Amino acid sequence: NSSAPVLREIGAGVSGSLAALVLRSRHPTASLTVLDADVGAKLAGRHLDPTFQFIRASKTLRTVQLQSVLGMLEAEGMMARWEGRFGLLGRKGGQFLPREALANTEMGQAMRKEAEGRGSPTEGGESEVSGTLDFCGLLRPGDAPLLVGSPSSATLCASICAAAGAEVRLGARVTAARHSPTRGCWELQIAGGGGGGGGRGGR
């Protein structure tokens, strides 16, 4: 079949919108639609809180491709580095200790020992796991930037879908999926969102 494929990506959160971007890179001429079951005025608006949530891909053997994608999104202005101040508040008096000063403290040494004991080595010989003392990796020196959506995290998924040239259908719910051996694709039954019909590929 020489016609352009029809692709339906199910889910419009960060993973779904990034999947749509990958599908577009592999099928430049395809008709691509992102289906989001949430009914609302904003795409994936409830998934990302612009006041805190961030994305970080530490430099490990398993995240090379994600690092590349995030770097591309940053270069295109869809993401920006979060340059906040990170540290600890003292239990007594609430004195702020910036992370740059943690290395020689008891807490910093405990974090280092935990990472060495629980982490697996990466290409650079560092641990992949920071442990429970620093779950988000905010307190140790960053091997990868903290990224947020630009101009806000709430716009990130919509920006990625737009970059993928994908049509977005809000309130679209897949109620059935059937593989068609004769057509070599999956046929989807879609309720809401103004969509319907079959699709090949997708998630």
Side-chain angles (χ1 to χ4, degrees), residues 14 48-56 70 73-74 76-82 146-160:
V14 174
L48 287 174
D49 178 358
T51 62
F52 178 75
Q53 292 186 12
F54 61 88
I55 298 177
R56 180 181 191 178
L70 294 181
L73 295 178
E74 182 183 6
E76 293 295 325
M78 285 180 270
M79 301 198 78
R81 301 195 179 202
W82 184 20
L146 302 176
L147 297 172
V148 294
S150 178
S152 76
S153 292
T155 65
L156 177 60
C157 296
S159 297
I160 295 174

Side-chain angles (χ1 to χ4, degrees), residues 2-57:
S2 59
S3 62
V6 176
L7 305 178
R8 300 288 186 261
E9 160 44 49
I10 304 171
V14 174
S15 296
S17 55
L18 287 176
L21 198 61
V22 172
L23 287 172
R24 173 60 70 203
S25 69
R26 296 179 180 178
H27 304 280
T29 62
S31 171
L32 176 59
T33 303
V34 173
L35 307 175
D36 189 70
D38 291 333
V39 179
K42 293 183 179 180
L43 173 62
R46 69 180 180 86
H47 298 293
L48 287 174
D49 178 358
T51 62
F52 178 75
Q53 292 186 12
F54 61 88
I55 298 177
R56 180 181 191 178

Side-chain angles (χ1 to χ4, degrees), residues 134-146:
D134 187 17
F135 182 76
C136 292
L138 298 178
L139 301 180
R140 56 194 167 90
D143 60 350
L146 302 176

Side-chain angles (χ1 to χ4, degrees), residues 51-72:
T51 62
F52 178 75
Q53 292 186 12
F54 61 88
I55 298 177
R56 180 181 191 178
S58 297
K59 295 180 180 178
T60 71
L61 297 175
R62 295 193 295 267
T63 61
V64 175
Q65 289 181 320
L66 179 57
Q67 293 169 40
S68 177
V69 171
L70 294 181
M72 181 272 292

Side-chain angles (χ1 to χ4, degrees), residues 178-200:
R178 182 178 68 87
H179 184 257
S180 173
T182 56
R183 297 180 61 192
C185 68
W186 285 86
E187 296 177 344
L188 305 180
Q189 182 175 336
I190 303 169
R200 184 191 309 168

